[in-house]
Amino acid sequence: MKDVFQYIEAHQYQYIEWLKKACNQPSVSATGEGMTEMKDVVIYFLKQIGASIEVIDTDGYPIIYAEIQRGKSKTLTFYNHYDVQPPDPVEAWETNPFITVERENRLVARGIADNKGNLIARICAVHAYMQVFGEELPINLKFIIEGEEEVGSPHLSQFAELHPEKLRTDAMIWEGGTRNVHDKRPHISFGVKGICYVEMLVRGAASDLHSSEGVIIENPAWRLIWALNTIKDKDENILIKGFYDDIIPLTEKEENFLKTMDYDEEYIKQTYKINQFLNEKTGISFRKKLIFEPACTICGIESGFTDEGMKTVLPSKARVKLDFRLVRGQSPEKIIDLLRAHLDTHGFGDIEVNQLAGLQPFKTDPENPLIDTVIQSVKQVYKEEPIILPNLAGSSPMDKLLKNTKIPTVQIGVANTESNFHAPNENIFIDDFMDGIKVIANTIANFNK
């Protein structure tokens, strides 16, 4: 692969310009801004590698499917998405979020880490491989690139159901991963937690009232607080009956893996400017909590008057948004039912519960040979030892695409632990982008072996 790596290095400027072109095009699925134009940008880049392209319409934004068939015995698929998060708050950006800038060996733009950097790196890797070896590839390649990941991938399951032949593959490289900033160790993961995202709403009087009436009229904000107090205690135990019942215990190999994980707790505390983790967790128990245990988080609460100054008001409604992070064995559908039953049992039957999103947990068998192939490919590029994660603390729509399949899936990518995902000044390092191209080219070569 030496010649391929040299080609990638010699064409760094070209590949960075490709990435800038992708990131300079807005593609906000939440609002629709630039989505049609971004679809055309993706098609333009896929044409640079001679892929056969099909645009598959959905009731939302289309899925772009592409393949390069060479009649080989093995097929590798890349999953990515071309939509990005809204740039809000725009005033917190140091530069225009949709004009890519270079700053201190970083590239800054909305979507550059999530997920356009990975999408373009994979196309660049195929391009470089072909420039060195001609049109010949050691394997067949497929691309599944959706436009709705940032709004919950509502039509990805439909794609899998209607187009099983397009999903047929030997393995998949998922949208992306990260690399530590402080010690430069790359992450390799092969699973994700699930999520059940809900909104709880309490209604009171027909309109906001004078706060003096709080002695005779129920306050929805207090009622919401009392309900929340029944869901989780101060020791982080989730109190919903049956919440933990379906969790599949860790295997012996997974337990042993926890002992080998290297997680720089002090660096994270310094970065986040905190003194300790919840319940003073550290070591093995900290890692187990982060990677293998479920969680319940209040994402936001809204009620009454919260602007500057004062307003003596009794709110007419109160709402909270919660996310439950789920592990293997749990399902968002079951959690919604358990939450509803819990509220009813505790006298909160009037509280409305609306599920806003749900994703199943997903994990590849750690014994699958794909994992060793990717580890080898990473080690041949990076000097630093990779960090291997059985699954991430976050969630992704893996199960929507891969449900009822046995397709092994691994995440690797070009982002870093300070990439500011979904936040202002999203960024990646130029070196990580170039190394990410090399890793994908390496994986294409090694996958055939």
Side-chain angles (χ1 to χ4, degrees):
M1 295 297 291
K2 181 180 177 181
D3 291 344
V4 177
F5 290 174
Q6 288 178 345
Y7 185 91
I8 292 170
E9 292 165 3
H11 291 78
Q12 172 174 307
Y13 176 80
Q14 176 186 356
Y15 291 153
I16 289 176
E17 288 302 306
W18 282 13
L19 179 56
K20 288 180 178 180
K21 179 179 175 69
C23 293
N24 290 351
Q25 173 57 58
S27 53
V28 184
S29 53
T31 64
E33 180 186 3
M35 292 299 293
T36 299
E37 294 83 355
M38 188 63 211
K39 176 200 69 177
D40 294 336
V41 170
V42 174
I43 291 172
Y44 166 81
F45 284 122
L46 289 170
K47 287 181 177 179
Q48 306 309 302
I49 55 175
S52 300
I53 305 164
E54 184 177 349
V55 177
I56 299 172
D57 290 328
T58 72
D59 291 334
Y61 300 113
I63 292 173
I64 302 169
Y65 172 80
E67 59 180 38
I68 302 175
Q69 289 292 341
R70 291 292 186 265
K72 303 299 182 179
S73 60
K74 290 186 177 181
T75 299
L76 180 65
T77 297
F78 299 111
Y79 163 85
N80 290 93
H81 59 92
Y82 61 91
D83 63 324
V84 303
Q85 283 283 328
D88 306 294
V90 175
E91 64 274 11
W93 284 79
E94 296 175 6
T95 57
N96 187 321
F98 292 115
I99 297 179
T100 309
V101 298
E102 297 184 32
R103 189 173 60 205
E104 297 176 353
N105 197 36
R106 297 189 194 221
L107 297 168
V108 181
R110 169 53 88 225
I112 200 158
D114 185 14
N115 174 246
K116 294 178 180 178
N118 293 304
L119 170 59
I120 299 302
R122 291 161 189 189
I123 293 174
C124 292
V126 178
H127 180 267
Y129 198 101
M130 286 180 163
Q131 296 305 304
V132 173
F133 293 111
E135 293 298 306
E136 186 63 27
L137 286 170
I139 57 176
N140 308 312
L141 295 175
K142 292 184 177 183
F143 293 83
I144 297 173
I145 307 168
E146 69 158 320
E148 299 180 307
E149 195 274 346
E150 299 294 6
V151 291
S153 301
H155 299 101
L156 200 57
S157 296
Q158 185 182 55
F159 170 84
E161 293 167 4
L162 296 179
H163 305 281
E165 75 288 351
K166 290 179 171 54
L167 185 57
R168 197 170 295 122
T169 188
D170 294 295
M172 187 170 291
I173 303 297
W174 202 252
E175 57 172 307
T178 59
R179 187 182 187 186
N180 285 348
V181 171
H182 65 292
D183 62 11
K184 303 302 288 182
R185 294 183 64 188
H187 298 186
I188 302 171
S189 62
F190 41 96
V192 291
K193 287 185 180 180
I195 187 173
C196 179
Y197 197 102
V198 304
E199 176 186 77
M200 290 167 46
L201 176 64
V202 184
R203 299 181 189 272
S207 64
D208 289 357
L209 303 173
H210 192 286
S211 64
S212 64
E213 298 190 74
V215 295
I216 58 171
I217 307 293
E218 185 173 59
N219 188 321
W222 279 116
R223 185 158 180 76
L224 181 61
I225 290 170
W226 295 328
L228 291 171
N229 276 332
T230 71
I231 292 175
K232 193 169 82 167
D233 65 20
K234 62 182 179 63
D235 294 320
E236 296 295 309
N237 298 305
I238 298 169
L239 305 176
I240 299 171
K241 185 177 181 181
F243 182 84
Y244 297 99
D245 289 357
D246 298 329
I247 295 175
I248 298 173
L250 300 184
T251 65
E252 182 179 354
K253 182 169 185 175
E254 288 170 329
E255 291 279 6
N256 290 333
F257 180 81
L258 287 171
K259 301 173 185 176
T260 67
M261 279 180 60
D262 180 17
Y263 197 95
D264 195 328
E265 298 174 24
E266 291 305 315
Y267 170 77
I268 296 299
K269 285 189 282 189
Q270 292 172 14
T271 300
Y272 294 168
K273 295 181 171 57
I274 58 175
N275 295 322
Q276 63 185 38
F277 296 109
L278 282 172
N279 297 329
E280 300 184 15
K281 292 279 187 182
T282 188
I284 294 294
S285 64
F286 167 83
R287 300 169 201 166
K288 187 173 184 179
K289 188 77 174 176
L290 178 65
I291 301 298
F292 290 117
E293 294 186 15
C296 174
T297 300
I298 294 175
C299 298
I301 298 179
E302 178 184 33
S303 186
F305 178 76
T306 58
D307 291 338
E308 291 292 327
M310 63 175 285
K311 181 182 181 183
T312 52
V313 62
L314 172 65
S316 62
K317 63 180 66 173
R319 76 178 73 234
V320 65
K321 294 190 176 182
L322 298 172
D323 84 40
F324 295 90
R325 296 289 168 164
L326 311 179
V327 296
R328 191 174 47 178
Q330 295 180 304
S331 73
E333 295 80 12
K334 178 74 174 290
I335 297 305
I336 280 288
D337 291 342
L338 293 176
L339 176 60
R340 179 72 271 168
H342 171 88
L343 293 171
D344 293 347
T345 299
H346 287 77
F348 297 103
D350 59 302
I351 295 183
E352 301 173 28
V353 177
N354 301 305
Q355 182 179 351
L356 303 182
L359 293 171
Q360 298 279 0
F362 182 91
K363 194 172 74 170
T364 294
D365 182 351
E367 301 291 347
N368 192 282
L370 171 67
I371 294 170
D372 287 338
T373 297
V374 173
I375 290 173
Q376 177 190 7
S377 300
V378 168
K379 286 184 174 181
Q380 289 168 349
V381 173
Y382 298 104
K383 293 179 292 186
E384 301 81 9
E385 279 292 307
I387 295 173
I388 316 299
L389 302 170
N391 62 262
L392 300 177
S395 304
S396 185
M398 283 185 180
D399 186 77
K400 286 193 172 188
L401 187 63
L402 304 175
K403 184 178 182 179
N404 299 324
T405 75
K406 296 182 179 180
I407 299 172
T409 303
V410 171
Q411 292 201 86
I412 48 176
V414 303
N416 64 78
T417 49
E418 295 178 3
S419 275
N420 294 340
F421 294 95
H422 295 194
N425 307 307
E426 185 176 348
N427 68 88
I428 63 173
F429 286 101
I430 293 174
D431 292 346
D432 290 346
F433 176 62
M434 302 310 297
D435 285 343
I437 297 173
K438 294 176 184 178
V439 167
I440 293 299
N442 231 13
T443 301
I444 290 171
N446 290 332
F447 191 69
N448 188 48
K449 304 172 186 177

